[in-house]
């Protein structure tokens, strides 16, 4: 395939961050090449998936007019599971039923195709089924990319890496090292078909209302991880993920698929998905190292956005909003530099990091900067405590002739016997440190 070999910007990847960046650049009139190794945008992209409206609205204000959205979320559930029960909280508000809706469930393959169509409408050139093999360097300056197609070398003033977790290009160029197993999660998910009326009945919703359930507890077998169940129009998305080093060190050699099957059999989950017909199964890596794992994000002629930069807020299960925001901020940095007649030097592109630091992205990641370390060092939060809190609830709610004061003493005794007073106080401090 013959294409013009010179562009204002090359964006590698067509996920949320890459599309956000390419769209913003193209709308500003820049000559943009976007390269995607998949057969089409979304063919290799995997996510839960929740779309956060604010991040996309800042890029495409009228996206709701034609974007392929599944359900707007009116209820958030958070469950802590032991082997046979759960204890949790729900937040449901009719305010979330009032347009403009705050969050939606989406199917990534459909959504990414739509987003990519907007990128092309804005004027960017998208080339799929093409692998970027390496960055072209002139000393310490990135001047383009070398591909397995397009005649080999293509040049640009700046290259934006949106090629996903464990970016091969950044690693090859020496911008960062190998991602550590303790900084990335391996997640698997299934999409289960269910009739729309069944979903509405089981989750107490109507029309396009939706429910999301975030899950934590013994289902991850002591590994740091979480699970989820999301409602789509005519399907449910269910998945689970744990840190990669957990799978490597797990004495039971549990596989991600086995964890997912265990989750589906849980007494609190099985009735919600009963009769579901699997339409899709996939696995993916999620960067969850947090604030301290973020690599250098810019240099002369290059920037990193989205999963490639580790932009995931694991505490709140947010990713797509960080991806789109980082892509947009990178593009705005390039646009402003061109308008000022500045070269795409490291000094110029530092403005990208300044924008990130001023945004919710880095502020939230900094807030939870100690969470990965705390959770890795304290498996009791995924084993002992889920069992203790569920047992405590069952004790208090069981009417058996024992007075409530006796039950309270029994509950405290079980907590003290499992962790000790010093352990309980220490664990409370650790949780405060992780989520302060």
């Amino acid at each position: 395939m013959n294409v013009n070999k010179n562009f204002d910007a090359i964006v590698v990847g067509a996920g949320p961050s890459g599309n956000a960046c390419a769209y913003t650049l193209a709308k500003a009139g820049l000559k943009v090449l976007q390269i995607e190794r998949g057969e089409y945008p979304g063919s290799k992209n995997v996510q839960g998936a929740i779309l956060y409206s604010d991040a996309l609205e800042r890029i495409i204000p009228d996206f709701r007019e034609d974007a392929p959205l599944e359900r707007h979320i009116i209820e958030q559930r958070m469950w802590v599971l032991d082997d046979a029960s759960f204890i949790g909280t729900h937040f449901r508000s009719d305010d979330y039923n009032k347009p403009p809706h705050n969050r939606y469930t989406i199917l990534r393959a459909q959504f990414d195709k739509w987003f990519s169509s907007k990128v092309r409408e804005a004027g960017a050139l998208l080339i799929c089924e093409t692998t970027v093999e390496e960055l072209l360097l002139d000393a310490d300056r990135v001047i383009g990319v070398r591909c397995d197609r397009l005649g080999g070398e293509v040049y640009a003033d700046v290259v934006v890496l949106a090629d996903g977790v464990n970016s091969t290009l950044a690693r090859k160029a020496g911008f960062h090292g190998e991602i550590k197993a303790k900084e990335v999660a391996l997640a698997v998910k299934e999409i289960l078909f269910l009739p729309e009326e069944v979903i509405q009945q089981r989750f107490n919703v109507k029309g396009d209302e939706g429910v999301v359930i975030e899950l934590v507890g013994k289902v991850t077998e002591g590994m740091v991880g979480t699970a989820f169940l999301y409602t789509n129009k005519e399907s449910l998305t269910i998945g689970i993920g744990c840190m990669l080093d957990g799978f490597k060190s797990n004495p039971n050699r549990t596989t991600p698929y086995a964890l997912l099957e265990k989750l589906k059999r849980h007494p609190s989950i099985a009735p919600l998905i009963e009769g579901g017909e699997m339409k899709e199964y996939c696995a993916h890596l999620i960067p969850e190292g947090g604030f301290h794992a973020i690599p250098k994000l810019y240099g002369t002629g290059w920037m990193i956005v989205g999963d490639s930069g580790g932009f995931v807020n694991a505490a709140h299960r947010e990713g797509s909003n960080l991806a789109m925001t980082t892509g947009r901020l990178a593009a705005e940095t390039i646009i402003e530099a061109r308008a000022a007649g500045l070269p795409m030097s490291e000094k110029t592109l530092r403005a990208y990091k300044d924008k990130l630091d001023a945004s919710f992205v880095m502020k939230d990641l900094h807030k939870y900067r100690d969470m990965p370390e705390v959770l890795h060092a304290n498996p009791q939060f995924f084993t002992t405590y889920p069992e203790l809190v569920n047992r405590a609830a069952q004790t208090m709610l069981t009417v058996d002739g024992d007075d409530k004061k006796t039950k309270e003493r029994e509950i405290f005794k079980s907590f003290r016997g499992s962790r000790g007073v010093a352990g309980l106080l220490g664990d409370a401090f650790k949780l405060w440190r992780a989520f302060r």
Side-chain angles (χ1 to χ4, degrees):
M1 180 182 296
N2 292 319
V3 299
N4 188 306
K5 293 299 186 76
N6 294 285
F7 293 85
D8 296 324
I10 295 173
V11 179
V12 183
S17 63
N19 283 334
C21 185
Y23 178 87
T24 304
L25 291 170
K27 284 287 283 187
L30 275 69
K31 188 176 181 181
V32 181
L33 171 65
Q34 186 179 29
I35 305 173
E36 164 60 34
R37 68 187 178 94
E39 182 181 355
Y40 56 86
S43 64
K44 293 185 176 296
N45 299 336
V46 181
Q47 181 192 342
I50 301 294
L51 174 71
Y52 301 90
S53 303
D54 179 74
L56 182 56
E57 203 166 27
R58 292 171 186 265
I59 301 165
I60 306 178
D62 60 351
F63 77 90
R64 293 178 180 86
E65 293 182 4
D66 58 355
L69 308 171
E70 291 292 304
R71 292 180 178 272
H72 64 270
I73 298 167
I74 67 163
E75 182 176 323
Q76 173 85 50
R77 306 178 188 177
M78 302 187 70
W79 291 0
V80 178
L81 284 68
D82 69 359
D83 290 325
S85 62
F86 78 87
I87 185 170
T89 63
H90 293 190
F91 179 76
R92 182 177 179 125
S93 174
D94 196 52
D95 286 342
Y96 286 142
N97 250 332
K98 301 171 184 176
H101 302 303
N102 182 256
R103 293 183 296 164
Y104 298 87
T105 53
I106 58 172
L107 300 176
R108 277 293 300 273
Q110 297 175 12
F111 178 80
D112 286 0
K113 281 184 179 179
W114 169 85
F115 203 168
S116 182
S117 72
K118 295 297 182 181
V119 174
R120 297 193 300 275
E121 287 174 12
L125 174 63
L126 170 68
I127 305 294
C128 294
E129 296 184 276
T130 300
T131 300
V132 176
E133 297 174 330
E134 62 182 342
L135 300 175
L136 298 176
L137 295 169
D138 180 6
D140 64 346
R141 176 188 172 203
V142 173
I143 59 174
V145 299
R146 179 175 289 109
C147 306
D148 61 350
R149 299 175 64 202
L150 309 181
E153 297 180 350
V154 187
Y155 300 90
D157 296 333
V158 63
V159 176
V160 181
L161 301 180
D163 51 337
V165 62
N166 200 22
S167 171
T168 302
L169 295 174
R171 195 173 67 251
K172 279 186 176 180
F175 299 155
H176 64 68
E178 290 279 354
I179 192 167
K180 299 175 182 177
K182 68 176 183 177
E183 296 175 350
V184 62
L186 175 58
V188 293
K189 77 167 189 178
E190 288 181 357
I191 295 180
L192 307 174
F193 170 79
L194 275 175
E196 184 175 358
E197 60 272 16
V198 173
I199 294 173
Q200 292 174 342
Q201 182 180 29
R202 290 183 184 177
F203 292 87
N204 189 28
V205 293
K206 62 183 183 300
D208 289 336
E209 297 171 348
V211 174
V212 302
I213 309 176
E214 304 288 353
L215 308 152
V216 67
K218 293 189 70 177
V219 72
T220 58
E221 298 186 357
M223 294 181 281
V224 178
T226 58
F228 58 87
L229 179 61
Y230 301 156
T231 58
N232 307 313
K233 286 182 180 177
E234 294 184 332
S235 65
L236 300 175
T237 302
I238 185 169
I240 189 168
C242 297
M243 302 307 287
L244 194 58
D245 64 338
F247 284 115
K248 292 174 66 176
S249 61
N250 186 280
N252 298 325
R253 299 298 182 199
T254 303
T255 65
Y257 182 75
L259 279 186
L260 181 57
E261 289 300 304
K262 178 181 178 180
L263 172 66
K264 290 163 61 179
R265 292 192 302 268
H266 192 279
S268 300
I269 300 297
L272 296 176
I273 65 172
E274 182 179 2
E277 177 187 349
M278 188 174 72
K279 297 175 62 177
E280 179 183 324
Y281 172 84
C282 52
H284 64 126
L285 294 174
I286 306 172
E288 294 195 355
F291 181 83
H292 295 299
I294 295 176
K296 186 176 180 181
L297 300 169
Y298 64 94
T300 302
W302 63 274
M303 286 187 283
I304 297 178
V305 298
D307 279 6
S308 302
F311 292 111
V312 170
N313 181 345
H316 290 270
R317 316 307 307 152
E318 295 179 16
S320 65
N321 55 332
L322 279 72
M324 290 185 287
T325 300
T326 57
R328 173 178 61 83
L329 294 179
E332 290 175 355
T333 301
I334 296 168
I335 293 166
E336 291 167 6
R338 282 180 59 86
L342 298 174
M344 298 299 164
S345 65
E346 181 171 350
K347 181 180 179 181
T348 299
L349 298 184
R350 177 182 171 77
Y352 169 51
K353 182 62 166 53
D354 294 338
K355 290 177 183 292
L356 286 173
D357 289 342
S359 75
F360 77 93
V361 174
M362 295 303 290
K363 290 178 181 179
D364 285 353
L365 291 177
H366 185 265
K367 171 179 170 58
Y368 301 111
R369 62 193 179 277
D370 294 326
M371 190 187 75
E373 177 189 345
V374 170
L375 295 183
H376 268 93
N378 296 277
Q380 67 269 20
F381 293 131
F382 298 90
T383 53
T384 304
Y385 282 106
E387 188 170 327
L388 287 172
V389 296
N390 275 275
R391 189 190 308 159
Q394 183 167 345
T395 297
M396 288 302 294
L397 296 173
T398 299
V399 179
D400 54 8
D402 289 343
D403 64 276
K404 298 302 186 282
K405 198 67 178 179
T406 298
K407 289 177 180 290
E408 289 175 357
R409 286 194 292 267
E410 179 184 338
I411 290 169
F412 180 72
K413 183 179 178 181
S414 68
F415 274 76
R416 185 177 58 190
S418 295
R419 295 295 299 159
V421 175
L424 292 172
L425 293 174
D427 289 341
F429 173 76
K430 292 167 187 174
L431 285 177
W432 171 84
R433 179 185 166 206
F435 295 96
R436 68 182 186 276

